[in-house]
Amino acid sequence: MPVILLVEDEAPIRDMVRFALSRSGMEMLDAEDVSHAERILDSRRPDLILLDWMLPEENGIELLRRLRKHPDRKDIPVIMLTAMADEDQKIRGLEVGADDYITKPFSPPELVARIKAVLRRAVGADSSGCISIGSLSLNTVTHEVRCRDNPVELGPTEYRLLEFLLSHPNRVYSRTQLLDYVWADNSAPVERTVDVSIRRLRKALEPMGCDSFIKTVRGAGYSLSRKNHGA
């Protein structure tokens, strides 16, 4: 379930977006201003941020600037929401680092479609939702995992873990980081939980010879490496 953070000071818009996202199978976190949004970001990592430009006390573009400079948040996709239709304003937002731009008023179907499109790009998925490295592939739409063209059965936690690692190949993540990113609801209280899920993931991939994609980096954590893996 994708987690979307909406930063918007108008309660009716928050209610409308929450209803639209829930119908589309997404979880919504909401903040009415920048300081509230940053408190949420300290404890949860959303898959995408919907960020209103005009906010009380500090505008959304300043939060976007900080996000793009933050080592752990700079890759979170951001869609700007604004009542300003001026082309120069849109260009400014995109230059600062917004991934897309929606002008108010907008329809819920358009919003959901834009979110899904940005999420596909963010995880490196193609138009059908497929992420692949070598002979290992995962479809974010159908949740099908295949290795050497054979289906792989995964539990929900191992699926989320593989999706995250496939979306960020060749990057090493500590157990603590994986707890934050994959177990965002804090349902995994101890780092050993990550080791158990990594073992289960490798066991599921082993019959097709894809377990070697998952690398243990001694003293650092885990990564998914595309090295030495062909088609």
Side-chain angles (χ1 to χ4, degrees):
M1 177 182 293
V3 178
I4 311 299
L5 171 60
L6 171 63
V7 189
E8 166 63 60
D9 61 320
E10 296 185 37
I13 294 179
R14 295 200 301 271
D15 293 340
M16 181 269 286
V17 173
R18 179 179 291 104
F19 179 73
L21 296 185
S22 65
R23 291 192 64 183
S24 299
M26 302 182 194
E27 178 186 354
M28 191 184 99
L29 311 173
D30 64 288
E32 70 276 5
D33 55 33
V34 169
S35 61
H36 186 189
E38 291 185 317
R39 290 197 300 273
I40 291 174
L41 288 166
D42 285 339
S43 60
R44 296 287 301 271
R45 178 187 168 89
D47 296 291
L48 182 144
I49 298 173
L50 295 173
L51 179 58
D52 188 25
W53 187 301
M54 299 300 295
L55 292 166
E57 298 183 6
E58 186 178 22
N59 63 44
I61 204 75
E62 296 306 319
L63 173 59
L64 179 58
R65 291 184 195 277
R66 288 199 293 277
L67 287 170
R68 292 302 178 239
K69 295 177 181 179
H70 194 288
D72 297 325
R73 299 172 186 169
K74 61 184 179 181
D75 59 343
I76 300 176
V78 175
I79 297 178
M80 295 295 297
L81 306 177
T82 181
M84 299 178 291
D86 184 83
E87 183 178 2
D88 290 340
Q89 295 288 348
K90 292 183 179 181
I91 292 172
R92 183 182 170 198
L94 294 171
E95 287 179 342
V96 171
D99 295 270
D100 202 353
Y101 202 107
I102 299 180
T103 303
K104 299 177 183 178
F106 51 82
S107 69
E110 177 193 9
L111 177 66
V112 170
R114 294 285 192 94
I115 290 172
K116 289 181 177 179
V118 171
L119 286 174
R120 284 197 300 267
R121 295 198 300 268
V123 301
D126 61 21
S127 59
S128 66
C130 185
I131 316 170
S132 63
I133 291 180
S135 55
L136 181 61
S137 66
L138 177 149
N139 191 296
T140 60
V141 177
T142 64
H143 284 206
E144 182 180 33
V145 177
R146 300 187 73 85
C147 175
R148 306 190 193 283
D149 208 31
N150 295 300
V152 179
E153 296 296 326
L154 296 178
T157 300
E158 287 66 49
Y159 173 87
R160 293 196 306 270
L161 180 58
L162 179 61
E163 180 181 21
F164 179 79
L165 292 173
L166 267 173
S167 303
H168 305 82
N170 298 320
R171 292 177 60 179
V172 180
Y173 290 91
S174 68
R175 292 168 178 82
T176 300
Q177 287 175 317
L178 289 173
L179 285 175
D180 289 339
Y181 297 158
V182 180
W183 287 265
D185 59 354
N186 296 319
S187 62
V190 293
E191 293 184 0
R192 187 174 179 278
T193 305
V194 177
D195 299 330
V196 172
S197 289
I198 288 286
R199 282 201 301 272
R200 289 175 179 168
L201 178 57
R202 282 176 169 154
K203 185 176 181 180
L205 296 172
E206 185 177 12
M208 281 70 71
C210 284
D211 53 308
S212 57
F213 278 92
I214 312 298
K215 305 294 184 183
T216 300
V217 181
R218 189 176 181 86
Y222 297 102
S223 72
L224 188 144
S225 175
R226 66 178 75 193
K227 295 179 180 178
N228 303 320
H229 290 283

